Amino acid sequence: MTAFLSASELAAKIKPGTKLAMPPDGSGASVGLTKFIIENGARGLHLICAPVGGLQVDMLVGAGLVATIETSAVSLGEAGAAPSFTRAIKSRAIKIMDATCPAMLTGLVAAQKGVPFIPMRGLIGSDILRTRPDWTVIENPYQKDDPIVAIPAIRPDVCLFHAPEADRSGNVRVGRRGELQLLAYASATTLVTVERIVEKSLLGDEATAAGVLPSLYVSAIAELKNGAWPNALWGEYAQDTGEISRYAAAARTREGFDGYMASFKQSMAP
């Protein structure tokens, strides 16, 4: 049964050393829960991006909570490079498991399907294989002289995302964001923050039920208004480009990052 918790209680579910998966900016990253995760002090996190990271990833790295990050990119989009991530990579403060977008999604699909790996083309001949000894080149068992890369399953301990709404049964509306459903299917535990909890059953409407993640795959939910801000949340609010740019400028230095996060903790929403 899905648990309904406060934001701080939900964040406390993320323990030190957790393999934590999250979606990219604009696809339901739960930026609002970041301050609670930082306050909880869960260090040594292994972040898994589906397939890229953004503002929330950069904040967790800047707070010193991340040991490893598995991703195809970390960026603030039009606001430029992710400053805390860039600083951590240059100083070798975190381990990077470099990937491609298709490879990240392939690994998560393997976990969803309960198989140890899925073969994938397009990687042989690239430099990325030099940095990923866990990606194995195998022979196609059905055709000679046809090598292919086996991408191992990526199995997060916890996935975390933000959605517009959930109902009292624990069903969550994710709309067309298939990456959110994929994260829930691939992960041992699914934590969700939502704008609101509604009384009607989200599975009751045949026209929209396909865009609802059933409660069977949802471990716990917390109501957190404006929980994706300053990112956009589909059907709810637009991206606050100015605020993301303000973060990007402030976080260029460690002191600037600390100052921004202090104010971010005080006031989450515009």
Side-chain angles (χ1 to χ4, degrees), residues 64-145:
L65 300 187
V66 179
T68 302
I69 181 166
E70 196 168 349
T71 187
S72 58
V74 180
S75 168
L76 298 184
E78 293 182 359
S84 298
F85 171 77
T86 301
R87 190 161 51 247
I89 290 296
K90 287 182 176 180
S91 66
R92 299 186 178 182
I94 62 174
K95 176 185 177 183
I96 177 73
M97 296 175 67
D98 200 8
T100 66
C101 289
M104 290 297 304
L105 296 174
T106 296
L108 290 166
V109 169
Q112 172 193 354
K113 295 181 179 299
V115 297
F117 66 88
I118 291 180
M120 180 183 148
R121 296 199 181 275
L123 294 169
I124 294 176
S126 69
D127 289 339
I128 199 167
L129 289 179
R130 300 178 185 176
T131 66
R132 292 300 300 263
D134 57 323
W135 291 359
T136 304
V137 179
I138 62 175
E139 288 296 326
N140 180 348
Y142 299 103
Q143 183 175 329
K144 291 183 178 180
D145 302 320

Side-chain angles (χ1 to χ4, degrees), residues 19-92:
K19 286 189 174 183
L20 176 62
M22 54 190 63
D25 290 351
S27 291
S30 183
V31 181
L33 202 71
T34 308
K35 66 172 184 174
F36 297 98
I37 299 172
I38 293 173
E39 289 169 356
N40 191 46
R43 295 184 176 275
L45 298 177
H46 178 143
L47 298 188
I48 297 168
C49 302
V52 300
L55 180 62
Q56 184 178 32
V57 168
D58 200 64
M59 287 177 169
L60 293 173
V61 170
L65 300 187
V66 179
T68 302
I69 181 166
E70 196 168 349
T71 187
S72 58
V74 180
S75 168
L76 298 184
E78 293 182 359
S84 298
F85 171 77
T86 301
R87 190 161 51 247
I89 290 296
K90 287 182 176 180
S91 66
R92 299 186 178 182

Side-chain angles (χ1 to χ4, degrees), residues 232-250:
L233 182 64
W234 65 94
E236 300 291 326
Y237 41 84
Q239 175 180 288
D240 189 337
T241 304
E243 185 64 23
I244 296 174
S245 296
R246 189 172 81 84
Y247 170 84

Side-chain angles (χ1 to χ4, degrees), residues 195-253:
E195 292 291 309
R196 60 191 167 269
I197 297 171
V198 298
E199 301 302 325
K200 68 178 181 179
S201 170
L202 294 176
L203 288 173
D205 187 342
E206 184 72 23
T208 59
V212 175
L213 178 67
S215 60
L216 174 65
Y217 300 101
V218 181
S219 307
I221 295 171
E223 193 171 26
L224 186 61
K225 186 68 175 174
N226 296 309
W229 180 84
N231 291 328
L233 182 64
W234 65 94
E236 300 291 326
Y237 41 84
Q239 175 180 288
D240 189 337
T241 304
E243 185 64 23
I244 296 174
S245 296
R246 189 172 81 84
Y247 170 84
R252 288 173 187 161
T253 66

